[in-house]
Amino acid sequence: MIRLSQAAAAAAVVVCLSGCASIFNGTTQPVVFSSAPEGAALTITNRAGEAVHTGTTPSTVTLKRGAGYFKSEAYTVNMKKDGFADASQHVDSQVSGWYVANIMLGGLLGMLIVDPASGGMYSFPDKVQSTLAPNVASTGGNPAAPATVK
């Protein structure tokens, strides 16, 4: 009987000291980056301006969720392809629903320390898609002109 109460007490301590979002979300997240057309050069930079990934689309990149205590990471995505205008967009996070679960489970330390410090309280969209517009010069001055294939 003592072992059962010790196990229950240990489980209660783990729940109260841990952060729900850090447990269920983790501190990183895979995000799929794609473009139309495919094969665009892809560069992802973090909020500090450091390149965290370079490659081509489509690509799955694991991104850090946090950038410091109560500070989410944010990324700038640049895509380039010959014959097309460059595309740039920002990828920002939102507060995860698992972070709110700390309130219901009594995880005060998780809510105030673990999840904000680990970045687990944030989440990104699962997919980021960009459509690259054809360059005016590559279509003979008419951006709506169809490409001819011979």
Side-chain angles (χ1 to χ4, degrees):
M1 193 61 156
I2 291 177
R3 287 186 183 248
L4 182 59
S5 63
Q6 287 175 340
V13 168
V14 167
V15 168
C16 290
L17 293 179
S18 62
C20 287
S22 295
I23 292 170
F24 290 102
N25 277 346
T27 59
T28 61
Q29 178 180 341
V31 178
V32 177
F33 293 90
S34 60
S35 65
E38 291 184 345
L42 170 68
T43 303
I44 303 170
T45 55
N46 63 14
R47 75 169 54 245
E50 302 165 340
V52 296
H53 179 80
T54 56
T56 57
T57 61
S59 195
T60 301
V61 181
T62 301
L63 300 176
K64 281 182 53 177
R65 296 176 190 265
Y69 187 67
F70 271 109
K71 188 174 186 180
S72 68
E73 188 60 271
Y75 296 93
T76 301
V77 179
N78 293 303
M79 296 184 192
K80 298 179 180 189
K81 186 171 177 97
D82 288 341
F84 295 87
D86 296 351
S88 181
Q89 68 185 93
H90 295 282
V91 178
D92 294 314
S93 65
Q94 294 186 350
V95 174
S96 168
W98 285 112
Y99 178 67
V100 179
N102 284 311
I103 297 169
M104 294 180 283
L105 296 175
L108 187 62
L109 290 176
M111 185 174 209
L112 297 176
I113 297 172
V114 178
D115 290 342
S118 72
M121 68 182 283
Y122 302 107
S123 97
F124 294 107
D126 292 326
K127 298 178 183 177
V128 175
Q129 164 94 27
S130 289
T131 301
L132 305 176
N135 278 337
V136 174
S138 68
T139 59
N142 183 358
T148 54
V149 178
K150 294 184 180 185

